[in-house]
Amino acid sequence: AMFFTCGPNEAMVVSGFCRSPPVMVAGGRVFVLPCIQQIQRISLNTLTLNVKSEKVYTRHGVPISVTGIAQVKIQGQNKEMLAAACQMFLGKTEAEIAHIALETLEGHQRAIMAHMTVEEIYKDRQKFSEQVFKVASSDLVNMGISVVSYTLKDIHDDQDYLHSLGKARTAQVQKDARIGEAEAKRDAGIREAKAKQEKVSAQYLSEIEMAKAQRDYELKKAAYDIEVNTRRAQADLAYQLQVAKTKQQIEEQRVQVQVVERAQQVAVQEQEIARREKELEARVRKPAEAERYKLERLAEAEKSQLIMQAEAEAESVRMRGEAEAFAIGARARAEAEQMAKKAEAFQLYQEAAQLDMLLEKLPQVAEEISGPLTSANKITLVSSGGGAMGAAKVTGEVLDILSRLPESVERLTGKLHGLKFPG
């Protein structure tokens, strides 16, 4: 056995052994026994037919040509229609099937045209298409073909009949348009004049109403002005009275403010005095007291330190030997007696004592003056061209300085004139 399939746009017919009547499968599958069974296929595709009917005389004897478009197909879902189509078209091509359907449709189209007038076909195409569809469908269904759709595509003639119909209709339409335009203009003029009249009447009425309104407005405005002026005068007087009262209150408030300001100034001055006293106390008194307290503490600490150092030194001296204390005491008493005697001598002989002290110190002054020369390693002398040279020059300079000392002392004290100093 062999297995065969087909698409939804095709039907298979199996005939032969055990296939009586033949089996028809539209868009499916079937088993076929080779040699004893036969399989044939028939197309279920939709066919588009261009149905032309040239120069067909209508009911009034006017020849016209009509072109229609029809869609037909073999009905595969209806078993009876499929069986009829198989009996008539099995083994034929799509072109042959389309030719048979086209001839049938053209014959029915011609028959319908012969029973209708040109005006009926031209004006009511839908009616013509429905009649052709109805008559052709009832005939083609016996062949297993269903008419899917039919549409009238074109109508024309060689006698300009349709053109004449168009001219007459066009003239009629133009005439109706002119009449309608004239009537419209007439009606528009009438309505415009009526509208103008109504407009003028409405304008006059409006002006009358406006005049009345203006009069009422002026009367009411005069009454309102009298009332407003009266109220305004009252308001002005009340305003002036209130201004006087307000000025009086302001003056009273100003006096009170001045009193308060003066009291506040006195309080501020008192506070400033207190603040300055506190500042003085903080800046002068407190730091002075703190410094005094600090100095007191430092003095006490230094005193304690000195006491402790003295005690330590005393203890140390005592440890070195109390015998030394007696000798020191004796020497101290002797020096005290010497100083006392000197003091007495100064009291009795003031100028002589001063001279004695100066004479005592002059050798030391001379020694200090000549001291730098003794420590000099090298002396470089520059001669100006006259006088002694070499060591004699240096000795002369030193002796000259020493000889000037009595004169300097005399200028200072006025007491050493004629004194001689040892060389």
Side-chain angles (χ1 to χ4, degrees):
M2 298 183 66
F3 187 73
F4 291 90
T5 60
C6 64
N9 63 333
E10 193 178 23
M12 295 181 297
V13 180
V14 180
S15 60
F17 181 74
C18 296
R19 297 297 187 184
S20 183
V23 176
M24 294 173 292
V25 178
R29 56 191 177 184
V30 67
F31 286 99
V32 178
L33 298 174
C35 300
I36 58 175
Q37 291 181 346
Q38 181 182 5
I39 183 171
Q40 292 176 294
R41 299 174 183 269
I42 186 170
S43 176
L44 303 180
N45 290 326
T46 299
L47 304 175
T48 300
L49 305 178
N50 193 9
V51 185
K52 293 184 178 180
S53 300
E54 299 288 342
K55 298 181 180 179
V56 179
Y57 287 92
T58 61
R59 188 172 62 185
H60 291 165
V62 179
I64 61 173
S65 299
V66 173
T67 302
I69 301 296
Q71 307 288 338
V72 298
K73 71 184 295 295
I74 296 174
Q75 187 59 256
Q77 301 301 323
N78 191 316
K79 297 296 182 182
E80 294 180 357
M81 292 182 67
L82 181 59
C86 290
Q87 291 177 2
M88 297 188 69
F89 305 117
L90 195 61
K92 295 184 181 294
T93 62
E94 286 187 358
E96 294 174 340
I97 297 172
H99 180 71
I100 295 171
L102 177 62
E103 292 295 332
T104 303
L105 280 169
E106 186 180 357
H108 289 297
Q109 181 172 280
R110 285 177 172 272
I112 299 299
M113 291 171 65
H115 287 84
M116 297 181 67
T117 64
V118 178
E119 289 79 359
E120 290 176 348
I121 298 172
Y122 181 75
K123 293 180 180 180
D124 196 354
R125 296 189 177 195
Q126 183 68 27
K127 179 181 178 181
F128 176 79
S129 298
E130 289 177 355
Q131 288 187 8
V132 174
F133 179 82
K134 182 178 179 181
V135 175
S137 295
S138 62
D139 194 9
L140 289 174
V141 72
N142 296 325
M143 301 180 187
I145 298 174
S146 64
V147 181
V148 179
S149 67
Y150 174 84
T151 303
L152 182 59
K153 180 181 180 182
D154 183 41
I155 302 173
H156 65 277
D157 69 305
D158 297 335
Q159 307 297 325
D160 291 336
Y161 184 83
L162 295 174
H163 184 65
S164 299
L165 289 176
K167 282 185 177 180
R169 180 60 183 166
T170 301
Q172 182 66 34
V173 169
Q174 290 177 351
K175 182 186 74 173
D176 294 342
R178 287 193 297 271
I179 293 172
E181 183 179 0
E183 291 177 351
K185 287 182 178 179
R186 180 197 64 194
D187 296 340
I190 294 171
R191 287 194 296 271
E192 184 178 359
K194 187 177 180 180
K196 287 182 178 179
Q197 183 181 359
E198 292 176 353
K199 176 183 178 182
V200 172
S201 300
Q203 184 176 358
Y204 289 156
L205 293 174
S206 175
E207 290 178 356
I208 292 171
E209 294 296 329
M210 288 176 62
K212 289 181 180 180
Q214 184 70 21
R215 181 196 63 188
D216 296 340
Y217 167 74
E218 294 294 339
L219 293 174
K220 290 182 179 180
K221 182 175 182 297
Y224 291 155
D225 288 341
I226 294 172
E227 184 178 358
V228 167
N229 291 330
T230 302
R231 296 288 180 87
R232 184 177 296 167
Q234 294 175 356
D236 290 340
L237 293 175
Y239 172 74
Q240 294 176 3
L241 180 60
Q242 185 63 35
V243 167
K245 291 181 179 179
T246 304
K247 287 183 177 179
Q248 184 178 0
Q249 293 177 358
I250 291 172
E251 186 64 24
E252 293 176 356
Q253 294 293 330
R254 188 177 65 80
V255 173
Q256 293 180 1
V257 168
Q258 289 179 355
V259 172
V260 173
E261 287 180 351
R262 290 176 182 176
Q264 289 180 352
Q265 290 176 0
V266 172
V268 169
Q269 291 176 358
E270 291 178 352
Q271 293 177 0
E272 181 65 18
I273 293 170
R275 185 188 67 80
R276 290 185 178 181
E277 289 179 354
K278 292 180 180 180
E279 184 179 0
L280 179 61
E281 183 177 359
R283 290 186 177 181
V284 178
R285 293 176 183 173
K286 294 294 184 180
E289 291 178 358
E291 186 66 21
R292 184 187 67 184
Y293 179 77
K294 176 182 177 182
L295 294 175
E296 290 176 354
R297 297 282 81 78
L298 291 173
E300 291 178 359
E302 187 176 358
K303 177 182 178 182
S304 300
Q305 183 179 3
L306 292 174
I307 291 170
M308 293 175 67
Q309 289 179 356
E311 291 177 352
E313 291 177 0
E315 183 68 20
S316 175
V317 170
R318 188 182 63 81
M319 293 297 293
R320 282 196 303 265
E322 293 179 357
E324 229 175 78
F326 179 77
I328 293 173
R331 188 170 57 249
R333 284 191 298 270
E335 290 178 356
E337 291 176 358
Q338 184 180 1
M339 292 299 293
K341 290 179 179 180
K342 284 184 178 182
E344 291 176 0
F346 285 155
Q347 290 293 332
L348 295 176
Y349 309 103
Q350 292 182 358
E351 293 183 359
Q354 292 174 2
L355 292 173
D356 182 57
M357 289 181 67
L358 288 173
L359 293 174
E360 205 176 59
K361 295 298 181 181
L362 280 175
Q364 295 180 6
V365 173
E367 184 180 358
E368 292 297 329
I369 291 172
S370 60
L373 295 175
T374 60
S375 60
N377 294 324
K378 182 179 179 182
I379 296 174
T380 302
L381 298 175
V382 178
S383 177
S384 58
M389 294 295 292
K393 179 66 174 176
V394 176
T395 304
E397 293 291 338
V398 173
L399 292 175
D400 185 53
I401 293 170
L402 291 176
S403 64
R404 293 175 185 272
L405 282 176
E407 184 181 354
S408 299
V409 173
E410 183 179 2
R411 284 198 300 268
L412 291 174
T413 61
K415 301 298 181 179
L416 301 180
H417 182 70
L419 292 179
K420 297 298 183 177
F421 293 93

